[in-house]
Amino acid sequence: MRGGGLLVAGTTSDAGKSVVTAGICRWLVRQGIKVAPFKGQNMSLNSFVTREGAEIGRAQAMQAQAARVEPTALMNPVLLKPGSDRSSQVVLMGKPVGELSARGYHGGRQKELFEPVLACLEELRSTYDAVICEGAGSPAEINLRRTDIVNMGIARAARLPVVVVGDIDRGGVFAQFFGTTALLAPEDQELIAGYLVNKFRGDVTLLEPGLDMLHGLTGRRTFGVLPYAHGLGIDEEDGLRVSLRGAVRESVVAPPVGEDVLRVAVCAVPLMSNFTDVDALAAEPGVVVRFVDRAEELVDADLVVVPGTRGTVRALAWLRERGLADALVRRAAEGRPVLGICGGFQVLGEHIEDEVESKAGAVDGLGLLPVRVRFAPGKTLARPVGEALGERVEGYEIHHGVADVRGGEPFLDGCRVGAVWGTHWHGSLESDGFRRAFLREVAAAAGRRFVPAPDTSFGALREEQLDRLGDLIEEHADTDALLRLIEQGPPKGLPFVPPGAP
């Protein structure tokens, strides 16, 4: 087999497209099939830097790991990074090419990107046995169909069979499946092979009459019913899967090795990016990670993390408006731990000069670190390797802000003053030895008798999660039928479901 393909679409955002795509990739590679993920256009503030220095969505990097291949820009040629409710930075083939309003993007620029996106898909199909594509939002967003380059537009151009995923935990999944199909043009409907139910709880036999009726109404089968799976903690794309003040992801609760737990509060700043940085902390037994948005929630925290953001100046204003800035200053004066990552690092500095991101000009930072930041038009995209606290550290950088560090102790190209640390490096906490050393420092500064587990491997935990996704597909989906779709394309003779596209 060479050049097989499948598009995993969804009835809604967050229906489970990303994890189903990853699960299919992991299942296929376990069958000895050389597979790659693909998403033509992604909107996300959760991004990653490939080894060639290209910025892509973290979901596609995770899917590449599921497929056991190195992520490249081909797998996510267009990345949109929102900077407000109405505009996004456009990243093409891993490099920023400008800022566009939603109307400007859908009004013309998106159509210009269709040929490069299709070329990337065809290059992957010429290299791999199979390419599993992920859609975006819903294929039945009829207001955007004319300029679509990620759902039915790419499926029709590449003649890809489409499986539509629906989240039954939210309710209404039968109406979603039927409505999604019935709002598509006949040429698009020809590619809708069937459905996949996600996040089902209970006795599947109770669902079967509905699936039979859906088949009767649409002429399309359901390829599987995936059960609700707790504790996956896989990288998200569209936003936080947890509400504010909720525990990060669905982390498995493990008892602490020492006598105390360690409480981590993450400031949920506007336009928060790469919040996955704290996943490695949440994976540690005895570490409790929560997102917070009120000053009083920092009082009992042993560590406060100010994460990355696509709007540094906006985040700084938000911290001040909510009293969180004053709380951070008090923490620093008391010698209580604070970690700033990327935009969070910039916030902790003395001064920000921004004529690029917010165009706010000169803005005072919180003054907790001797750092001055100037925003440059060009974006730094890097995969640094270094050492901190006597341990090897790997990370990645995605930022316009250039830091001029004027004092403190060196720390991952940033600095440390007392119990306040700052760095532009994302992903550093995934380095196991460094994470344990950092947590020991935090526990000492916080006066906690917390001891990091000696054997927690974040990489191994991620592999276990990806294997669980592969298991879900293998055990609860009709894999023989999925493989036929991938190899042979859309089934012939699928009926038209009226009314079709308006």
Side-chain angles (χ1 to χ4, degrees), residues 152 162 177-178 180-195 212-221 490-501:
M152 302 314 298
V162 179
F177 285 145
F178 180 84
T180 296
T181 308
L183 281 175
L184 298 178
E187 297 83 358
D188 289 343
Q189 287 196 23
E190 290 174 4
L191 305 175
I192 302 294
Y195 314 109
D212 291 340
M213 285 186 274
L214 182 66
H215 183 269
L217 288 166
T218 67
R220 289 158 174 83
R221 58 166 300 183
K492 305 298 183 186
L494 292 169
F496 172 71
V497 180

Short mmCIF file of all heavy atoms in Angstrom, two decimals, residues 152 162 177-178 180-195 212-221 490-501:
data_model
loop_
_atom_site.label_atom_id
_atom_site.label_comp_id
_atom_site.label_asym_id
_atom_site.label_seq_id
_atom_site.Cartn_x
_atom_site.Cartn_y
_atom_site.Cartn_z
N MET A 152 -13.98 19.25 3.62
CA MET A 152 -14.42 18.65 2.37
C MET A 152 -13.68 19.20 1.16
O MET A 152 -13.59 18.54 0.12
CB MET A 152 -15.93 18.83 2.20
CG MET A 152 -16.76 18.23 3.33
SD MET A 152 -16.28 16.55 3.83
CE MET A 152 -16.57 15.64 2.31
N VAL A 162 -14.18 9.94 4.14
CA VAL A 162 -14.32 10.73 5.36
C VAL A 162 -15.10 9.94 6.40
O VAL A 162 -16.17 9.39 6.09
CB VAL A 162 -15.04 12.07 5.08
CG1 VAL A 162 -15.20 12.88 6.36
CG2 VAL A 162 -14.29 12.86 4.02
N PHE A 177 -24.83 13.74 13.39
CA PHE A 177 -24.40 12.93 12.25
C PHE A 177 -25.31 13.16 11.04
O PHE A 177 -24.83 13.37 9.92
CB PHE A 177 -24.41 11.44 12.62
CG PHE A 177 -23.27 11.00 13.50
CD1 PHE A 177 -23.47 10.02 14.47
CD2 PHE A 177 -22.00 11.53 13.36
CE1 PHE A 177 -22.42 9.59 15.27
CE2 PHE A 177 -20.95 11.12 14.17
CZ PHE A 177 -21.16 10.14 15.13
N PHE A 178 -26.62 13.08 11.28
CA PHE A 178 -27.56 13.25 10.17
C PHE A 178 -27.45 14.65 9.57
O PHE A 178 -27.35 14.82 8.35
CB PHE A 178 -28.99 12.99 10.65
CG PHE A 178 -30.01 13.13 9.55
CD1 PHE A 178 -30.29 12.08 8.70
CD2 PHE A 178 -30.69 14.33 9.37
CE1 PHE A 178 -31.23 12.22 7.68
CE2 PHE A 178 -31.62 14.49 8.35
CZ PHE A 178 -31.89 13.42 7.51
N THR A 180 -25.03 16.87 9.73
CA THR A 180 -23.75 17.12 9.07
C THR A 180 -23.78 16.57 7.64
O THR A 180 -23.37 17.24 6.69
CB THR A 180 -22.60 16.45 9.86
OG1 THR A 180 -22.51 17.07 11.14
CG2 THR A 180 -21.28 16.60 9.13
N THR A 181 -24.30 15.36 7.48
CA THR A 181 -24.36 14.75 6.16
C THR A 181 -25.35 15.48 5.26
O THR A 181 -25.05 15.80 4.10
CB THR A 181 -24.77 13.27 6.29
OG1 THR A 181 -23.93 12.62 7.23
CG2 THR A 181 -24.68 12.56 4.95
N ALA A 182 -26.53 15.79 5.80
CA ALA A 182 -27.60 16.36 5.00
C ALA A 182 -27.33 17.79 4.54
O ALA A 182 -27.97 18.27 3.60
CB ALA A 182 -28.91 16.31 5.78
N LEU A 183 -26.39 18.50 5.17
CA LEU A 183 -26.07 19.87 4.77
C LEU A 183 -24.95 19.94 3.74
O LEU A 183 -24.54 21.04 3.36
CB LEU A 183 -25.70 20.70 6.00
CG LEU A 183 -26.87 21.21 6.84
CD1 LEU A 183 -26.35 21.92 8.08
CD2 LEU A 183 -27.75 22.16 6.04
N LEU A 184 -24.46 18.80 3.30
CA LEU A 184 -23.37 18.79 2.33
C LEU A 184 -23.89 18.60 0.91
O LEU A 184 -24.92 17.95 0.68
CB LEU A 184 -22.38 17.66 2.65
CG LEU A 184 -21.68 17.73 4.01
CD1 LEU A 184 -20.78 16.52 4.22
CD2 LEU A 184 -20.87 19.02 4.14
N ALA A 185 -23.15 19.15 -0.05
CA ALA A 185 -23.48 18.98 -1.46
C ALA A 185 -23.34 17.51 -1.85
O ALA A 185 -22.59 16.76 -1.22
CB ALA A 185 -22.55 19.84 -2.31
N PRO A 186 -24.03 17.07 -2.90
CA PRO A 186 -23.94 15.67 -3.33
C PRO A 186 -22.49 15.20 -3.55
O PRO A 186 -22.13 14.08 -3.18
CB PRO A 186 -24.73 15.64 -4.63
CG PRO A 186 -25.71 16.76 -4.50
CD PRO A 186 -25.01 17.82 -3.72
N GLU A 187 -21.64 16.07 -4.11
CA GLU A 187 -20.25 15.68 -4.37
C GLU A 187 -19.48 15.47 -3.09
O GLU A 187 -18.54 14.67 -3.06
CB GLU A 187 -19.56 16.76 -5.23
CG GLU A 187 -20.15 16.96 -6.61
CD GLU A 187 -21.36 17.88 -6.61
OE1 GLU A 187 -21.78 18.36 -5.51
OE2 GLU A 187 -21.89 18.14 -7.70
N ASP A 188 -19.86 16.21 -2.04
CA ASP A 188 -19.22 16.01 -0.74
C ASP A 188 -19.79 14.78 -0.04
O ASP A 188 -19.06 14.01 0.59
CB ASP A 188 -19.40 17.24 0.15
CG ASP A 188 -18.58 18.44 -0.30
OD1 ASP A 188 -17.64 18.23 -1.10
OD2 ASP A 188 -18.87 19.56 0.13
N GLN A 189 -21.10 14.61 -0.14
CA GLN A 189 -21.72 13.45 0.50
C GLN A 189 -21.15 12.13 -0.02
O GLN A 189 -21.09 11.14 0.72
CB GLN A 189 -23.24 13.49 0.31
CG GLN A 189 -23.95 14.53 1.14
CD GLN A 189 -25.45 14.28 1.20
OE1 GLN A 189 -25.91 13.16 1.02
NE2 GLN A 189 -26.21 15.34 1.48
N GLU A 190 -20.75 12.10 -1.29
CA GLU A 190 -20.17 10.89 -1.87
C GLU A 190 -18.95 10.40 -1.11
O GLU A 190 -18.57 9.23 -1.19
CB GLU A 190 -19.76 11.13 -3.32
CG GLU A 190 -20.92 11.30 -4.28
CD GLU A 190 -20.44 11.68 -5.68
OE1 GLU A 190 -19.19 11.74 -5.88
OE2 GLU A 190 -21.29 11.93 -6.55
N LEU A 191 -18.32 11.30 -0.36
CA LEU A 191 -17.08 10.96 0.35
C LEU A 191 -17.33 10.59 1.82
O LEU A 191 -16.43 10.08 2.48
CB LEU A 191 -16.10 12.14 0.29
CG LEU A 191 -15.76 12.64 -1.12
CD1 LEU A 191 -14.88 13.87 -1.04
CD2 LEU A 191 -15.07 11.55 -1.93
N ILE A 192 -18.52 10.90 2.34
CA ILE A 192 -18.83 10.60 3.75
C ILE A 192 -19.12 9.11 3.87
O ILE A 192 -20.22 8.63 3.56
CB ILE A 192 -20.03 11.43 4.25
CG1 ILE A 192 -19.75 12.93 4.10
CG2 ILE A 192 -20.32 11.08 5.71
CD1 ILE A 192 -18.64 13.46 4.97
N ALA A 193 -18.12 8.36 4.33
CA ALA A 193 -18.24 6.90 4.40
C ALA A 193 -19.06 6.45 5.59
O ALA A 193 -19.71 5.40 5.54
CB ALA A 193 -16.85 6.27 4.45
N GLY A 194 -19.03 7.19 6.68
CA GLY A 194 -19.77 6.78 7.87
C GLY A 194 -19.32 7.54 9.10
O GLY A 194 -18.69 8.61 9.00
N TYR A 195 -19.60 6.96 10.25
CA TYR A 195 -19.49 7.70 11.51
C TYR A 195 -18.70 6.91 12.56
O TYR A 195 -18.56 5.68 12.48
CB TYR A 195 -20.90 8.00 12.03
CG TYR A 195 -21.82 8.52 10.96
CD1 TYR A 195 -22.87 7.73 10.47
CD2 TYR A 195 -21.64 9.78 10.41
CE1 TYR A 195 -23.71 8.20 9.47
CE2 TYR A 195 -22.47 10.26 9.41
CZ TYR A 195 -23.50 9.46 8.94
OH TYR A 195 -24.32 9.92 7.94
N ASP A 212 -28.75 1.70 14.02
CA ASP A 212 -29.47 1.06 12.92
C ASP A 212 -30.38 2.07 12.22
O ASP A 212 -30.46 2.10 10.97
CB ASP A 212 -30.31 -0.12 13.43
CG ASP A 212 -29.45 -1.29 13.91
OD1 ASP A 212 -28.27 -1.36 13.50
OD2 ASP A 212 -29.95 -2.11 14.69
N MET A 213 -31.07 2.90 12.99
CA MET A 213 -31.94 3.92 12.39
C MET A 213 -31.11 4.94 11.61
O MET A 213 -31.52 5.39 10.53
CB MET A 213 -32.76 4.61 13.48
CG MET A 213 -33.91 3.76 14.01
SD MET A 213 -34.98 4.66 15.17
CE MET A 213 -34.09 4.40 16.70
N LEU A 214 -29.95 5.32 12.14
CA LEU A 214 -29.07 6.26 11.44
C LEU A 214 -28.64 5.67 10.10
O LEU A 214 -28.61 6.37 9.08
CB LEU A 214 -27.85 6.57 12.31
CG LEU A 214 -26.85 7.58 11.75
CD1 LEU A 214 -27.47 8.97 11.65
CD2 LEU A 214 -25.59 7.62 12.62
N HIS A 215 -28.33 4.38 10.09
CA HIS A 215 -27.95 3.71 8.85
C HIS A 215 -29.11 3.74 7.85
O HIS A 215 -28.92 3.99 6.65
CB HIS A 215 -27.53 2.26 9.13
CG HIS A 215 -27.05 1.53 7.92
ND1 HIS A 215 -27.90 0.78 7.13
CD2 HIS A 215 -25.82 1.44 7.35
CE1 HIS A 215 -27.21 0.25 6.13
NE2 HIS A 215 -25.95 0.64 6.24
N GLY A 216 -30.32 3.50 8.36
CA GLY A 216 -31.48 3.54 7.48
C GLY A 216 -31.72 4.93 6.90
O GLY A 216 -32.14 5.07 5.74
N LEU A 217 -31.47 5.96 7.68
CA LEU A 217 -31.71 7.33 7.24
C LEU A 217 -30.64 7.84 6.27
O LEU A 217 -30.93 8.64 5.38
CB LEU A 217 -31.75 8.26 8.45
CG LEU A 217 -32.99 8.16 9.34
CD1 LEU A 217 -32.75 8.87 10.66
CD2 LEU A 217 -34.21 8.76 8.62
N THR A 218 -29.42 7.39 6.47
CA THR A 218 -28.30 7.95 5.69
C THR A 218 -27.65 6.97 4.72
O THR A 218 -26.91 7.39 3.83
CB THR A 218 -27.19 8.47 6.63
OG1 THR A 218 -26.60 7.36 7.31
CG2 THR A 218 -27.74 9.46 7.64
N GLY A 219 -27.89 5.67 4.93
CA GLY A 219 -27.21 4.67 4.12
C GLY A 219 -25.75 4.50 4.49
O GLY A 219 -24.97 3.90 3.74
N ARG A 220 -25.38 5.00 5.65
CA ARG A 220 -23.98 4.96 6.06
C ARG A 220 -23.85 4.25 7.41
O ARG A 220 -24.67 4.43 8.29
CB ARG A 220 -23.40 6.38 6.15
CG ARG A 220 -23.21 7.00 4.76
CD ARG A 220 -23.18 8.51 4.83
NE ARG A 220 -22.87 9.07 3.53
CZ ARG A 220 -23.78 9.28 2.56
NH1 ARG A 220 -25.06 8.99 2.79
NH2 ARG A 220 -23.41 9.80 1.41
N ARG A 221 -22.81 3.50 7.55
CA ARG A 221 -22.61 2.70 8.75
C ARG A 221 -21.81 3.46 9.79
O ARG A 221 -21.19 4.50 9.51
CB ARG A 221 -21.90 1.40 8.40
CG ARG A 221 -20.54 1.61 7.73
CD ARG A 221 -19.73 0.36 7.71
NE ARG A 221 -19.50 -0.11 9.08
CZ ARG A 221 -18.76 -1.16 9.38
NH1 ARG A 221 -18.18 -1.85 8.43
NH2 ARG A 221 -18.57 -1.51 10.64
N PRO A 490 -13.35 6.06 -0.98
CA PRO A 490 -14.77 6.10 -0.58
C PRO A 490 -15.56 4.95 -1.17
O PRO A 490 -15.33 4.55 -2.31
CB PRO A 490 -15.25 7.45 -1.16
CG PRO A 490 -13.99 8.23 -1.43
CD PRO A 490 -12.93 7.24 -1.74
N PRO A 491 -16.50 4.41 -0.41
CA PRO A 491 -17.37 3.36 -0.95
C PRO A 491 -18.20 3.88 -2.12
O PRO A 491 -18.54 5.07 -2.18
CB PRO A 491 -18.27 2.99 0.23
CG PRO A 491 -17.58 3.53 1.44
CD PRO A 491 -16.81 4.73 0.99
N LYS A 492 -18.54 3.01 -3.04
CA LYS A 492 -19.37 3.39 -4.19
C LYS A 492 -20.84 3.34 -3.81
O LYS A 492 -21.27 2.54 -2.98
CB LYS A 492 -19.11 2.45 -5.37
CG LYS A 492 -17.65 2.34 -5.79
CD LYS A 492 -17.09 3.67 -6.25
CE LYS A 492 -15.64 3.49 -6.73
NZ LYS A 492 -15.01 4.80 -7.06
N GLY A 493 -21.64 4.18 -4.45
CA GLY A 493 -23.08 4.09 -4.35
C GLY A 493 -23.69 4.59 -3.06
O GLY A 493 -24.81 4.21 -2.71
N LEU A 494 -22.99 5.46 -2.34
CA LEU A 494 -23.57 6.03 -1.12
C LEU A 494 -24.74 6.93 -1.47
O LEU A 494 -24.62 7.78 -2.38
CB LEU A 494 -22.52 6.82 -0.33
CG LEU A 494 -21.38 5.99 0.29
CD1 LEU A 494 -20.28 6.92 0.80
CD2 LEU A 494 -21.91 5.11 1.42
N PRO A 495 -25.89 6.80 -0.79
CA PRO A 495 -27.07 7.59 -1.18
C PRO A 495 -26.93 9.05 -0.79
O PRO A 495 -26.24 9.41 0.16
CB PRO A 495 -28.20 6.92 -0.40
CG PRO A 495 -27.55 6.29 0.77
CD PRO A 495 -26.18 5.87 0.31
N PHE A 496 -27.66 9.88 -1.54
CA PHE A 496 -27.74 11.31 -1.22
C PHE A 496 -28.78 11.51 -0.12
O PHE A 496 -29.86 10.92 -0.15
CB PHE A 496 -28.14 12.10 -2.46
CG PHE A 496 -28.45 13.55 -2.18
CD1 PHE A 496 -27.44 14.45 -1.85
CD2 PHE A 496 -29.76 14.02 -2.24
CE1 PHE A 496 -27.71 15.78 -1.58
CE2 PHE A 496 -30.05 15.35 -1.97
CZ PHE A 496 -29.02 16.22 -1.66
N VAL A 497 -28.42 12.34 0.89
CA VAL A 497 -29.33 12.65 1.99
C VAL A 497 -29.80 14.09 1.80
O VAL A 497 -28.99 15.03 1.90
CB VAL A 497 -28.64 12.48 3.35
CG1 VAL A 497 -29.60 12.81 4.48
CG2 VAL A 497 -28.08 11.06 3.51
N PRO A 498 -31.09 14.31 1.49
CA PRO A 498 -31.55 15.68 1.28
C PRO A 498 -31.59 16.46 2.59
O PRO A 498 -31.65 15.85 3.66
CB PRO A 498 -32.97 15.48 0.70
CG PRO A 498 -33.38 14.13 1.19
CD PRO A 498 -32.13 13.31 1.29
N PRO A 499 -31.52 17.81 2.54
CA PRO A 499 -31.67 18.65 1.33
C PRO A 499 -30.36 18.93 0.61
O PRO A 499 -30.38 19.49 -0.48
CB PRO A 499 -32.22 19.95 1.91
CG PRO A 499 -31.59 20.05 3.26
CD PRO A 499 -31.53 18.63 3.77
N GLY A 500 -29.20 18.62 1.17
CA GLY A 500 -27.93 19.01 0.56
C GLY A 500 -27.57 20.43 0.90
O GLY A 500 -28.25 21.12 1.67
N ALA A 501 -26.46 20.91 0.32
CA ALA A 501 -25.98 22.26 0.61
C ALA A 501 -26.98 23.30 0.13
O ALA A 501 -27.61 23.12 -0.92
CB ALA A 501 -24.63 22.49 -0.05
#
